Amino acid sequence: LAEGPLTGRRVLVTSGPTHEPIDPVRYIANRSSGAQGTAIARALAVMGADVVFVTGPADAERPEGVHVVEVQTAAEMLQAVQAVLPVDAAVFAAAVADWRVASASDSKIKKDKGQIPSMEFAENPDILATVSQMTEGRPRLVVGFAAETDDVIANATAKRLRKGCDWIVANDVSPETGIMGGSENAVTLITEDGAESWPRMGKDEVAHQLAVRIAAALG
Ligand code: C5P
């Protein structure tokens, strides 16, 4: 481990999409690349933190010098997160599926007799809200993300209060920004003191700046 301002701090980062099974060969997913979460885990490790990286099935290369926990579903991600606690800080960068198929099939659903299957969905646990609202053993700093396409600051400010986290890193994921799946990000950091918009920069630089802020907050 590198020595730095986060030496001795234990930090959790969630990242990537989740995959929610339909049957053994099919699943519901989203387009999260895991790039920003991976960059954050790497930046925290470079600053000396003991990082646990809980990731869904993302394309991004796994960061070095961190403890990696691979999961598939939102339910598995929540379990993995609970097993990692307590931590000093937690950053929830994962794009967790909001819904899962209520009863995934144990065997492959056959395409036959012109029958088109229909699916019922069930709500997934909200991992960020669950951890933010813990009454015992809550991390001192809980950071959530908000991917918005309009009214970014207003929506993210409301989200911070609704979830109960300390900070929200908000970004505009409108297709014309090229942020989703791209290498740059333009974020607004929402804290109890208000909204602070950062200039557009590389996802690695956003990660570094966020790690600096986390180190300052943990003291
Ligand atoms: O509005 P939304 O629920 O998408 O908020 C996004 C934030 O909440 C992200 O930090 C994401 O990692 C977290 N989240 C979560 N569990 C969910 C849904 C979102 O941790 N089931």
Side-chain angles (χ1 to χ4, degrees):
L1 281 183
E3 282 282 320
L6 284 168
T7 297
R9 302 296 189 197
R10 184 172 157 84
V11 184
L12 161 75
V13 179
T14 72
S15 185
T18 64
H19 283 186
E20 308 296 333
I22 296 169
D23 69 15
V25 301
R26 304 184 179 95
Y27 58 84
I28 292 169
N30 62 65
R31 294 188 192 282
S32 168
S33 66
Q36 188 63 82
T38 300
I40 291 165
R42 195 176 283 131
L44 291 163
V46 164
M47 288 176 64
D50 176 5
V51 179
V52 184
F53 183 67
V54 177
T55 182
D59 289 340
E61 210 172 300
R62 303 295 177 256
E64 275 174 38
V66 313
H67 182 85
V68 179
V69 180
E70 305 264 354
V71 300
Q72 298 280 325
T73 65
E76 287 171 15
M77 187 172 278
L78 175 61
Q79 272 206 334
V81 163
Q82 282 168 334
V84 167
L85 300 180
V87 294
D88 296 292
V91 180
F92 293 91
V96 182
D98 292 310
W99 309 284
R100 65 180 178 278
V101 178
S103 41
S105 173
D106 289 335
S107 49
K108 186 183 172 193
I109 300 169
K110 292 266 188 260
K111 180 185 166 191
D112 56 13
K113 302 184 202 94
Q115 293 261 17
I116 298 174
S118 63
M119 268 174 258
E120 253 188 65
F121 292 92
E123 197 165 351
N124 271 334
D126 189 318
I127 304 167
L128 170 63
T130 302
V131 172
S132 294
Q133 292 164 29
M134 285 173 63
T135 49
E136 255 172 71
R138 182 190 187 278
R140 260 206 291 148
L141 182 68
V142 179
V143 183
F145 274 71
E148 308 280 352
T149 52
D150 38 34
D151 295 328
V152 176
I153 292 179
N155 285 330
T157 300
K159 185 167 294 180
R160 177 181 167 275
L161 296 174
R162 193 165 65 243
K163 302 258 189 180
C165 57
D166 301 295
W167 298 352
I168 286 271
V169 180
N171 53 4
D172 187 340
V173 292
S174 305
E176 65 272 17
T177 65
I179 282 171
M180 199 116 185
S183 63
E184 291 193 329
N185 207 348
V187 308
T188 300
L189 181 64
I190 315 271
T191 70
E192 64 176 345
D193 299 326
E196 184 184 304
S197 291
W198 296 0
R200 190 174 174 124
M201 54 181 111
K203 285 183 178 173
D204 288 344
E205 188 58 20
V206 169
H208 173 69
Q209 295 299 337
L210 191 64
V212 167
R213 294 295 287 262
I214 290 170
L218 292 179

